[in-house]
Amino acid sequence: MDIATRVWNHKWKIDPIVRSLIDDDFYKLLMCQSVFQSHPDTHVKFSLINRTKSVKMADLIDEGELREQLDHIRSLSLSRGESTWLRGNTFYGKRQMFRSDFMEWFENMRLPEYHLEKRDGQYELTFEGKWCEVMLWEIPALAVLMELRSRAVLDSMGKFELQVLYARAMTRVWEKVERLRTVENLRIADFGTRRRHSFLWQDWCVQAMREGLGDKFVGTSNCKIAMLRDIEAIGTNAHELPMVYSALAKTDADLRQAPYQVLEDWQEEHDGNLRIILPDTYGTQGFLQSAPDWLAGWTGIRIDSGDPATGAEIAINWWKQRGEDPREKLVIFSDGLDVEKIIELHKQFEGRVRVSFGWGTLLTNDFRGLVPDGGLDPFSIVCKAVEADGNPTVKLSDNPGKAMGPADEIERYKRVFELGEQERQEVIV
Amino acid sequence: MDIATRVWNHKWKIDPIVRSLIDDDFYKLLMCQSVFQSHPDTHVKFSLINRTKSVKMADLIDEGELREQLDHIRSLSLSRGESTWLRGNTFYGKRQMFRSDFMEWFENMRLPEYHLEKRDGQYELTFEGKWCEVMLWEIPALAVLMELRSRAVLDSMGKFELQVLYARAMTRVWEKVERLRTVENLRIADFGTRRRHSFLWQDWCVQAMREGLGDKFVGTSNCKIAMLRDIEAIGTNAHELPMVYSALAKTDADLRQAPYQVLEDWQEEHDGNLRIILPDTYGTQGFLQSAPDWLAGWTGIRIDSGDPATGAEIAINWWKQRGEDPREKLVIFSDGLDVEKIIELHKQFEGRVRVSFGWGTLLTNDFRGLVPDGGLDPFSIVCKAVEADGNPTVKLSDNPGKAMGPADEIERYKRVFELGEQERQEVIV
């Protein structure tokens, strides 16, 4: 390293965790553009929730350091190169995915204020403001908390102990890659930004996937890494759309239609591989049964909660009922995946549908057992829309362990969406 | 990296494996000083021998590359900093270990010519000239062949595949270190220069030992690494002294005395922890039985062939017979060690003697099983004095698998040194 670089590095007051507004999931930007157009004035509140109560975030992480990192993110703006990339790159085979009016707004956007408090050994971190701005806090906020926790645990380790820790983690990732390499016709992407061990580690994992898997590796959800490494950026849409649309519904009839309205709006903007149904926000079975016929013509479905094989079978039956050929449909599995599950699901569904995987936390944060007392084990932290224009949001999903919202509203949603008994799945990550 | 460094690096015609004349074992320099004084005109021939015939060196390693590396070593001279370190540093608690006349000679010394031929898939590499010069070829020549072989095997691997290879090797070394950390009163040094995987890897292993073992790690045999990392340089003397002394003996009676003459000369120069007997050149049992009484007063013994526990028991009995207290004596094990053996020997002898370990190839070159077909497994390569003033040298050792020399001379030595039946040990490294 030359002297100037070294002196420059010493000028950083902190070692920033998130250094770019596009160190974010691609689908957040896609959704942001939709929201920017369709709901420019909707006011939302996002809240960070640690579902793993045993991990005492406020004891592990210094409040001052957390504030420094969050303040740093608020100072970020889109760089010229990033803007050029978003404007000029091809996404899903399409040029100019991001419209000029959106890009002009995004270039001038700064993230809004945050509200931080300690309570019961946890941080209460909330963000309020315009939906299209607040929504961009989700991934950076999660990444900051995950990485500050990693740093806290690594702080007491020696130089070679650290090298060996990463050596072990690298070996583990590589052994997974070697196993996946043997799976014919595999298609797999990195979905691991939000609960990654650290930025550099995600970047390493993505590159190892590319070298080890070749064409089987189809992209990363992380825009910054996609840009840096010249890799496809991957992602479609998430639960926040139906959650906010539903919270804005004035009547039960409107509520019942809200999740379909999301996809009707989406269909106006996107085609091909971006037409992926996320059916589980209020229960997959009911959602598909009541779905309009045009939805069966979409490219595929993403299975993100509940037993994944059951979810895929439900989708296959639904396509058959609607006269569609499941073999032409794409099923993307993205919930709590690791190698065993990926291989098992691939074996079960390859040939019956087109199978694809979005591999998250157990790709970019599998340090299980590598330090004492599970100190680096991944944990279940989320950052979700909890209010929209003053109304609480609700998520049910296909796993009652992931349900969220006020109890009375959960009951109302269950009634409106005719949700029956659900099987509880353990939430690891 | 700054531009200038990068441009500078591009100016190297080759990537040199040995970059310093003190990238060598400390005991070679100690012995060199002795030889420089006592045998300035003795002419020797050293020869490189690959005892693992299955590793076809000439097929793996390009002759041109090998010549470039050897030529580079011939271009090396002692740098000012290296000379200052040798002159000014404390070795074994002693200042000015190296005399001024020796240092002046060493500062101007260049390594003599080499002779290289291919035969039967192997390289025949020999060095002839003054003993004090030729002897300094041994370690660099071995290190060059080992590392060229590593490079040949690594050449076809991808960037992340390589990272993971080293990650696995690091993890393996660290697991060994973690096991050794639990051994109370352990004393262990790095003796792994000659058959190391590479210079950088030895440097890593030494630093990992220091961090992981703390005071249990007592030093490295490698002078360059000792200097770079501010670590004790470790080592005493080797078989080449009795081998050459013996080859120079004119009668059987002189031959019988030669190994003791070596130590008599050594005793004039060195005291304390440098007075370590290496008894196995022509059989430990006979050597100790016929040894003069003053030798029993020496600090300790190094066990370098045969069954190590047997060797140590022989030494303990011998000390007792000569009225010495074995608990005050140092036993250094240095042959083919790995963690299991180290722990076993420590358990067996700690308390009965002072135990120490010189850990070689399985510290600095344990890549066993990490690439297909054992491509990086260590193998048994040596570089030995084969002639002195025209007479062949002979080594018997406590393992008939390590015997070397012309058959009739081996028989003569066996008769003179009254060597009985020996147990054959497998030679791994």
Side-chain angles (χ1 to χ4, degrees):
Chain A
M1 195 185 293
D2 66 324
I3 296 174
T5 305
R6 197 166 166 145
V7 171
W8 168 254
N9 285 345
H10 277 179
K11 288 169 70 174
W12 290 92
K13 282 200 242 17
I14 58 167
D15 180 6
I17 289 171
V18 174
R19 298 179 183 212
S20 159
L21 281 184
I22 68 164
D23 179 10
D24 199 348
D25 278 342
F26 177 69
Y27 76 172
K28 291 299 293 195
L29 301 191
L30 276 189
M31 290 190 290
C32 184
Q33 174 168 255
S34 289
V35 167
F36 172 77
Q37 186 167 46
S38 66
H39 293 75
D41 300 319
T42 298
H43 186 97
V44 298
K45 180 177 175 183
F46 270 59
S47 177
L48 188 132
I49 299 147
N50 176 11
R51 297 190 288 214
T52 311
K53 298 298 174 206
S54 58
V55 177
K56 300 282 182 199
M57 298 300 281
D59 297 342
L60 280 164
I61 295 170
D62 178 72
E63 184 175 334
E65 280 182 49
L66 175 53
R67 286 185 183 276
E68 279 176 343
Q69 291 291 344
L70 297 171
D71 291 341
H72 178 77
I73 294 172
R74 288 199 66 209
S75 78
L76 294 172
S77 65
L78 207 60
S79 80
R80 191 162 162 175
E82 291 164 351
S83 175
T84 301
W85 183 77
L86 287 175
R87 285 171 181 270
N89 194 41
T90 305
F91 299 101
Y92 283 86
K94 179 179 170 185
R95 288 215 179 272
Q96 289 171 312
M97 175 72 83
F98 296 101
R99 295 186 309 273
S100 283
D101 62 332
F102 172 71
M103 285 307 303
E104 274 158 36
W105 168 81
F106 193 22
E107 281 162 2
N108 292 296
M109 199 276 306
R110 300 289 182 283
L111 284 177
E113 286 183 21
Y114 60 89
H115 182 78
L116 179 66
E117 266 182 71
K118 277 189 191 184
R119 190 168 304 175
D120 299 331
Q122 299 293 340
Y123 284 113
E124 284 199 358
L125 179 56
T126 53
F127 311 93
E128 283 190 74
K130 285 188 177 183
W131 187 8
C132 56
E133 292 177 0
V134 166
M135 68 189 295
L136 295 177
W137 260 119
E138 177 184 355
I139 308 296
L142 291 170
V144 157
L145 278 157
M146 292 305 296
E147 188 161 344
L148 281 179
R149 187 268 207 147
S150 302
R151 288 185 186 179
V153 173
L154 301 178
D155 196 46
S156 60
M157 292 174 71
K159 183 176 164 197
F160 285 79
E161 205 180 356
L162 279 172
Q163 277 201 34
V164 171
L165 173 74
Y166 283 104
R168 286 177 168 152
M170 282 179 187
T171 302
R172 179 175 291 176
V173 169
W174 194 253
E175 280 165 5
K176 293 182 182 188
V177 166
E178 284 181 327
R179 290 200 57 202
L180 292 176
R181 183 153 53 192
T182 65
V183 180
E184 268 184 66
N185 298 318
L186 183 70
R187 291 166 50 86
I188 190 162
D190 156 43
F191 276 17
T193 300
R194 69 189 57 212
R195 285 192 283 271
R196 68 192 180 198
H197 171 78
S198 73
F199 174 77
L200 290 177
W201 181 246
Q202 182 184 16
D203 188 37
W204 190 91
C205 292
V206 166
Q207 291 179 79
M209 291 261 280
R210 177 166 63 175
E211 181 180 300
L213 294 179
D215 291 344
K216 295 182 165 86
F217 175 61
V218 296
T220 172
S221 64
N222 187 295
C223 294
K224 188 71 189 178
I225 294 175
M227 178 179 151
L228 282 174
R229 305 299 172 194
D230 210 1
I231 287 172
E232 290 292 318
I234 297 281
T236 56
N237 55 63
H239 299 104
E240 75 176 278
L241 295 179
M243 284 167 72
V244 173
Y245 273 59
S246 298
L248 297 175
K250 304 231 179 305
T251 64
D252 283 0
D254 285 353
L255 174 58
R256 200 172 290 114
Q257 282 311 304
Y260 306 113
Q261 187 60 47
V262 168
L263 301 179
E264 214 174 313
D265 289 355
W266 193 260
Q267 186 164 248
E268 279 178 31
E269 278 196 273
H270 302 296
D271 48 24
N273 282 339
L274 283 171
R275 290 191 178 166
I276 301 296
I277 307 165
L278 180 65
D280 66 323
T281 314
Y282 306 115
T284 295
Q285 186 83 59
F287 175 86
L288 293 178
Q289 266 168 15
S290 310
D293 273 338
W294 54 261
L295 205 53
W298 274 34
T299 306
I301 200 163
R302 182 157 72 92
I303 310 288
D304 199 46
S305 64
D307 175 60
T310 305
E313 296 291 359
I314 290 172
I316 288 169
N317 286 332
W318 175 69
W319 280 315
K320 284 181 182 164
Q321 284 163 16
R322 303 288 176 116
E324 299 282 335
D325 183 352
R327 286 172 303 180
E328 290 171 7
K329 298 296 185 183
L330 186 61
V331 173
I332 303 173
F333 295 102
S334 64
D335 181 34
L337 294 174
D338 205 358
V339 170
E340 291 302 328
K341 198 68 180 170
I342 291 167
I343 292 174
E344 178 192 322
L345 289 168
H346 191 271
K347 202 169 168 184
Q348 189 171 351
F349 292 101
E350 172 64 15
R352 299 175 59 203
V353 292
R354 291 159 51 213
V355 182
S356 187
F357 298 92
W359 192 10
T361 311
L362 294 177
L363 167 63
T364 61
N365 200 358
D366 189 358
F367 286 67
R368 288 175 294 180
L370 297 184
V371 299
D373 306 321
L376 288 175
D377 287 13
F379 58 104
S380 188
I381 190 171
V382 292
C383 182
K384 292 284 183 197
V386 291
E387 274 180 34
D389 285 347
N391 308 307
T393 66
V394 170
K395 184 185 175 189
L396 301 176
S397 96
D398 288 330
N399 180 359
K402 283 184 167 184
M404 45 173 287
D408 56 341
E409 286 293 308
I410 288 180
E411 286 315 307
R412 175 176 159 240
Y413 275 63
K414 280 187 175 174
R415 175 172 52 73
V416 169
F417 292 105
E418 298 170 27
L419 195 74
E421 277 301 303
Q422 291 182 301
E423 191 187 338
R424 182 175 287 268
Q425 307 274 325
E426 190 192 358
V427 177
I428 303 169
V429 287
Chain B
M1 195 184 294
D2 66 324
I3 297 175
T5 304
R6 197 164 166 148
V7 171
W8 168 254
N9 286 345
H10 278 179
K11 288 169 69 175
W12 290 92
K13 281 199 239 27
I14 58 167
D15 179 7
I17 288 171
V18 174
R19 299 180 182 208
S20 159
L21 281 183
I22 67 165
D23 178 9
D24 200 347
D25 278 342
F26 177 69
Y27 78 171
K28 291 298 294 196
L29 301 191
L30 275 188
M31 290 190 291
C32 184
Q33 174 168 255
S34 289
V35 168
F36 172 77
Q37 185 167 47
S38 66
H39 294 75
D41 301 317
T42 298
H43 186 98
V44 298
K45 180 177 175 182
F46 270 59
S47 178
L48 187 133
I49 299 148
N50 176 10
R51 296 190 288 212
T52 311
K53 298 300 174 204
S54 59
V55 178
K56 299 284 183 197
M57 298 300 281
D59 298 343
L60 280 165
I61 296 171
D62 178 73
E63 184 175 333
E65 280 182 49
L66 175 54
R67 285 185 184 277
E68 279 176 343
Q69 291 292 344
L70 296 171
D71 291 341
H72 179 76
I73 294 171
R74 288 199 66 209
S75 78
L76 294 172
S77 64
L78 206 61
S79 79
R80 191 163 162 173
E82 291 163 352
S83 176
T84 301
W85 183 76
L86 287 175
R87 286 172 181 271
N89 193 41
T90 304
F91 299 100
Y92 284 87
K94 181 178 168 183
R95 289 215 180 272
Q96 290 171 313
M97 176 71 84
F98 297 102
R99 294 187 309 273
S100 284
D101 62 332
F102 171 73
M103 286 306 303
E104 274 157 36
W105 168 83
F106 194 23
E107 282 162 1
N108 293 294
M109 199 276 306
R110 301 290 181 283
L111 284 176
E113 287 182 20
Y114 61 88
H115 182 79
L116 179 65
E117 266 181 72
K118 278 189 190 182
R119 190 168 301 176
D120 300 331
Q122 299 293 340
Y123 284 112
E124 285 200 358
L125 179 56
T126 54
F127 311 92
E128 283 191 71
K130 285 189 177 184
W131 187 7
C132 55
E133 293 176 0
V134 166
M135 66 190 296
L136 295 177
W137 261 118
E138 177 184 354
I139 308 296
L142 291 170
V144 158
L145 279 157
M146 293 304 296
E147 188 162 345
L148 281 180
R149 187 268 207 146
S150 302
R151 289 185 186 180
V153 174
L154 302 178
D155 196 46
S156 61
M157 293 174 71
K159 185 177 163 194
F160 285 79
E161 205 180 356
L162 279 172
Q163 278 201 31
V164 171
L165 173 74
Y166 283 105
R168 286 177 170 153
M170 282 179 186
T171 301
R172 181 174 290 175
V173 169
W174 193 254
E175 279 165 5
K176 293 183 183 188
V177 166
E178 283 182 326
R179 289 202 55 202
L180 292 177
R181 183 155 50 194
T182 64
V183 180
E184 269 184 65
N185 299 317
L186 183 71
R187 291 167 51 84
I188 190 162
D190 156 43
F191 276 18
T193 300
R194 67 188 59 211
R195 284 192 283 272
R196 68 192 180 197
H197 171 78
S198 74
F199 173 78
L200 290 177
W201 181 245
Q202 182 184 14
D203 188 37
W204 190 91
C205 292
V206 166
Q207 293 179 78
M209 290 262 282
R210 178 166 60 177
E211 181 181 301
L213 294 179
D215 291 345
K216 294 182 165 83
F217 176 60
V218 296
T220 172
S221 64
N222 187 296
C223 295
K224 188 72 190 179
I225 293 174
M227 179 179 149
L228 282 175
R229 305 299 173 193
D230 210 0
I231 287 172
E232 289 293 317
I234 296 279
T236 57
N237 56 61
H239 299 104
E240 74 175 280
L241 295 178
M243 284 168 72
V244 173
Y245 274 61
S246 298
L248 298 174
K250 303 229 181 308
T251 65
D252 283 0
D254 284 356
L255 175 57
R256 200 172 289 116
Q257 281 311 305
Y260 306 113
Q261 188 60 48
V262 168
L263 302 180
E264 214 174 312
D265 289 356
W266 194 260
Q267 185 162 250
E268 278 179 31
E269 279 195 274
H270 302 296
D271 47 25
N273 282 341
L274 283 170
R275 289 190 180 169
I276 302 295
I277 306 165
L278 180 64
D280 67 322
T281 316
Y282 306 116
T284 296
Q285 186 82 61
F287 176 85
L288 292 179
Q289 266 168 14
S290 309
D293 274 338
W294 54 262
L295 205 53
W298 274 34
T299 306
I301 201 163
R302 181 157 73 93
I303 310 287
D304 199 46
S305 64
D307 175 61
T310 306
E313 295 292 0
I314 290 171
I316 288 169
N317 285 333
W318 175 68
W319 279 315
K320 284 182 182 163
Q321 283 164 18
R322 303 290 176 112
E324 299 283 334
D325 183 353
R327 287 173 301 179
E328 290 170 7
K329 298 296 185 181
L330 186 62
V331 174
I332 303 173
F333 295 102
S334 64
D335 182 34
L337 295 174
D338 205 357
V339 169
E340 292 301 329
K341 199 69 181 169
I342 291 167
I343 292 173
E344 178 192 321
L345 289 168
H346 190 271
K347 200 168 170 184
Q348 190 171 349
F349 291 102
E350 172 64 17
R352 299 175 59 202
V353 293
R354 290 160 51 213
V355 182
S356 186
F357 298 92
W359 193 11
T361 311
L362 294 177
L363 167 62
T364 60
N365 199 358
D366 189 358
F367 286 67
R368 288 176 295 179
L370 297 184
V371 299
D373 306 320
L376 287 175
D377 287 12
F379 58 104
S380 187
I381 190 171
V382 294
C383 183
K384 291 285 183 195
V386 291
E387 274 180 35
D389 284 349
N391 307 308
T393 66
V394 170
K395 183 185 175 189
L396 301 176
S397 96
D398 288 329
N399 179 359
K402 283 185 167 184
M404 46 173 286
D408 56 340
E409 286 293 309
I410 287 181
E411 286 314 306
R412 176 177 158 238
Y413 275 63
K414 280 188 175 174
R415 177 173 51 74
V416 168
F417 291 105
E418 298 169 27
L419 196 73
E421 279 300 304
Q422 292 182 299
E423 191 187 341
R424 183 175 286 268
Q425 307 273 325
E426 191 193 358
V427 177
I428 303 170
V429 287

